[in-house]
Amino acid sequence: MTARKWSIAGQLFALQALVVTLLVGAGAVGAALLARADAREAARDEVLAVAETVARSPEVSAALRSPDPAATLQPYAESVRVATGTNFVVVMAPNRTRYSHPDPAQIGQPFIGEIGPALAGHPYTVVNTGTLGESVRAVVPVRGPDGTVTGLVSVGITTESINRKLLGRAPVLLAVTVVVLVLAGLSSWLLSRRLRRQTHGLGPAQMTRMYEYYDAVLHSVGEGLMVVDADGRIALVNDEGRRLLGLDPDAPLVDRPVTGLGLPPALVELVGAGRPAHDELILTRQRSLVANQRPTELGNRVRGTVLTLRDHTELRALSSELDSVRGLTEALRSQAHEAANRLHTMLTLVELGRIDEAVRLATEELALAQRLTDEVVGAIAEPALAALLLGKSAQAAERGVELTVDPDSRLHVGALPTTDLLTVVGNLVDNALEAVAAAAPPRRVRVRVTESDGEVLVEVGDSGPGLPPEQVADAFRRGWSTKRPGRGLGLALVGQVIARHGGRYEVAVAPEGGSVFRIRLPIGART
């Protein structure tokens, strides 16, 4: 396996093993050098102590004044050497002549090495090479009764002896080194094993490529993406998700709870529940979003959820317009059928010679349609809203409902965005038509749109059964309906417009016994 294909865990293990081996090796060498220095220092102390002890011995001082010092000093020095474990104990005259030596042949020969400081009366230690090889030696003066230097004592330990003692400790040092290496290697292996599980055995190049692709996808994907962990905290939000949810593009969101970001309650509930969702509608202040959510699992354990968001604001608007057009088409089809019947009736009256009755029937129908058009167009200058109300009037007539526009209605062009006006008025009228559908005749719906004091008032009343006060707040929530759960959307869209403009609403009892919805939207206050 080449180095480029090594996983991060494998490379980390190899690097740790190399570093630990170098550190332990350097530590072992350092320990050996330190032990060697300590051994030499201990040897200096030892030879100096033995030399001073021998130099202060009365027997040595007396032997140096005798006619044959070697006869007494040689056996004494050898006994001391054997007892102390040193390599040589040499007693000499101030002129370097040896009186003792481990090698008897060296007795009477001159001592090899420096003795100047000792002759001056100062004990000292030095590393020097003599007849036994390199050694750590001490030279101490022997003083007579009058204080003069009458002789010298040199005690030494060879470097070879010191090294043999160090080699005797080598197995312990080696064993400690091996144990440290094994423990360090085991720790590195356990760490690399854990890292391998966490990185799924990927190498640096693979992880770099994965990050680059991941980052590119997150910033270029056309859907909003939010990843939430099992504790309800955000692990990831892409740029499109921030835009769709109205979040600050530069705000740090990672590891923040979903509940503290001011997100729509429906979205917070969906993420908090962690349940799967497919094309579920979420309404924000400005958008209609379709949400899909899937739990993420790893090793049969739920690690969180992945939420995707698609913007369906324009699609919902087009769908609403299509529904209005479809309803208007149905109404026009019915009116065309009714007009054909009336035309056939008028033709029959003409054929029967009853011209006056035919003319009266035609003018009455035309006057009724023209009066309704004049009322709506005269009150509502906004053409799209006027057309919507005319279409709703036709739908109401088809359903047997009397829809009237309050003569006090007044609205100029541009007071509010046209799409928002159509959303509010269209959904409120549709809601009213559904409310009176099952009511007893007469079925009435009244619409009033006025502009005053810097706000637009939209008021829609009906003669239906009315809306209980405890259900008013729920009525503006997505999915609420008096018919069946999950069906209601119109009033939720109205609530979205109210929130976007900073408006307000109220629901009261209509004079006909039904409900009156009053929506107040500030002019020019859209956010």
Side-chain angles (χ1 to χ4, degrees):
M1 182 167 55
T2 63
R4 293 184 60 186
K5 295 183 179 179
W6 276 27
S7 66
I8 290 182
Q11 294 189 33
L12 179 62
F13 174 72
L15 179 61
Q16 284 181 324
L18 177 61
V19 171
V20 168
T21 301
L22 292 176
L23 289 177
V24 173
V29 172
L33 294 177
L34 183 61
R36 181 185 178 189
D38 290 343
R40 289 205 172 197
E41 190 64 29
R44 287 175 182 270
D45 295 338
E46 182 180 356
V47 296
L48 182 60
V50 173
E52 288 182 339
T53 301
V54 173
R56 290 187 177 93
S57 173
E59 184 177 356
V60 172
S61 180
L64 287 173
R65 294 194 300 272
S66 66
D68 187 9
T72 303
L73 295 176
Q74 173 64 10
Y76 175 78
E78 284 300 296
S79 65
V80 172
R81 182 183 66 80
V82 173
T84 57
T86 55
N87 291 110
F88 64 85
V89 177
V90 175
V91 182
M92 70 192 83
N95 62 359
R96 295 180 178 267
T97 302
R98 297 189 184 100
Y99 296 134
S100 65
H101 195 278
D103 182 8
Q106 298 296 328
I107 296 175
Q109 300 296 321
F111 178 79
I112 300 174
E114 184 182 0
I115 61 173
L119 288 175
H122 304 294
Y124 75 98
T125 59
V126 69
V127 177
N128 207 342
T129 302
T131 58
L132 299 179
E134 187 181 70
S135 63
V136 176
R137 60 182 63 181
V139 182
V140 178
V142 179
R143 295 180 184 275
D146 56 355
T148 60
V149 177
T150 59
L152 302 173
V153 176
S154 179
V155 179
I157 299 176
T158 62
T159 304
E160 183 180 356
S161 298
I162 296 174
N163 292 338
R164 279 200 304 269
K165 290 182 180 179
L166 290 177
L167 289 175
R169 302 176 187 175
V172 176
L173 179 61
L174 182 61
V176 172
T177 303
V178 171
V179 170
V180 172
L181 284 174
V182 170
L183 292 177
L186 180 61
S187 301
S188 299
W189 178 77
L190 292 176
L191 179 61
S192 66
R193 182 182 178 187
R194 176 179 175 82
L195 184 60
R196 184 179 292 106
R197 288 199 305 266
Q198 293 177 337
T199 59
H200 302 285
L202 297 177
Q206 293 171 307
M207 295 193 70
T208 300
R209 185 166 57 251
M210 180 181 295
Y211 171 78
E212 291 173 349
Y213 292 161
Y214 152 91
D215 190 64
V217 169
L218 286 182
H219 286 84
S220 62
V221 69
E223 294 186 355
L225 177 66
M226 177 185 289
V227 180
V228 181
D229 63 19
D231 296 327
R233 294 181 175 273
I234 294 178
L236 172 70
V237 181
N238 69 344
D239 296 343
E240 183 66 8
R242 289 174 181 260
R243 186 184 71 83
L244 294 179
L245 295 176
L247 299 174
D248 187 348
D250 299 322
L253 299 178
V254 176
D255 205 33
R256 292 185 59 183
V258 178
T259 54
L261 300 177
L263 299 177
L267 181 64
V268 174
E269 183 276 329
L270 175 62
V271 174
R275 56 181 172 81
H278 179 69
D279 288 348
E280 189 166 319
L281 183 63
I282 301 292
L283 297 179
T284 67
R285 289 173 59 90
Q286 298 182 350
R287 303 181 187 278
S288 298
L289 306 178
V290 173
N292 289 272
Q293 181 170 267
R294 293 290 183 275
T296 59
E297 296 182 0
L298 183 61
N300 297 324
R301 179 183 175 187
V302 177
R303 297 301 180 95
T305 56
V306 177
L307 177 72
T308 57
L309 301 168
R310 298 195 307 275
D311 190 359
H312 276 214
T313 304
E314 295 183 359
L315 182 60
R316 286 288 171 182
L318 292 175
S319 177
S320 178
E321 293 179 10
L322 180 60
D323 290 340
S324 299
V325 171
R326 185 181 294 110
L328 181 59
T329 302
E330 293 293 335
L332 291 176
R333 184 181 295 112
S334 299
Q335 286 186 345
H337 181 71
E338 183 178 355
N341 291 335
R342 291 180 180 274
L343 181 60
H344 182 71
T345 301
M346 287 186 289
L347 290 176
T348 302
L349 288 175
V350 171
E351 290 177 355
L352 294 176
R354 306 175 69 172
I355 305 300
D356 294 338
E357 295 181 8
V359 172
R360 186 172 62 253
L361 180 63
T363 54
E364 288 178 355
E365 182 68 19
L366 181 61
L368 179 62
Q370 187 61 41
R371 185 176 70 254
L372 178 61
T373 302
D374 292 340
E375 289 178 357
V376 173
V377 174
I380 307 298
E382 176 65 54
L385 182 58
L388 174 69
L389 290 175
L390 288 175
K392 296 299 181 183
S393 299
Q395 293 181 34
E398 175 66 18
R399 298 184 182 185
V401 179
E402 179 185 355
L403 188 149
T404 60
V405 178
D406 194 297
D408 294 335
S409 296
R410 290 292 181 275
L411 183 65
H412 298 90
V413 177
L416 285 176
T418 302
T419 55
D420 292 342
L421 275 174
L422 297 181
T423 297
V424 173
V425 177
N427 283 289
L428 288 179
V429 171
D430 288 341
N431 189 65
L433 292 177
E434 291 183 0
V436 302
R443 304 182 183 92
R444 296 188 180 93
V445 172
R446 182 178 58 85
V447 180
R448 179 172 176 239
V449 182
T450 60
E451 175 186 349
S452 64
D453 298 329
E455 66 179 11
V456 173
L457 170 64
V458 178
E459 182 178 289
V460 177
D462 60 72
S463 60
L467 184 65
E470 63 273 10
Q471 294 183 351
V472 172
D474 293 335
F476 288 88
R477 189 183 72 246
R478 183 193 64 79
W480 185 91
S481 174
T482 57
K483 295 186 176 182
R484 62 177 184 271
R487 185 178 184 275
L489 179 61
L491 288 181
L493 294 175
V494 174
Q496 186 184 43
V497 175
I498 294 173
R500 189 160 58 241
H501 287 267
R504 60 189 188 277
Y505 68 88
E506 60 179 289
V507 180
V509 178
E512 297 86 350
S515 298
V516 177
F517 285 79
R518 295 188 180 94
I519 310 298
R520 301 179 185 273
L521 302 174
I523 298 175
R526 183 177 184 179
T527 59

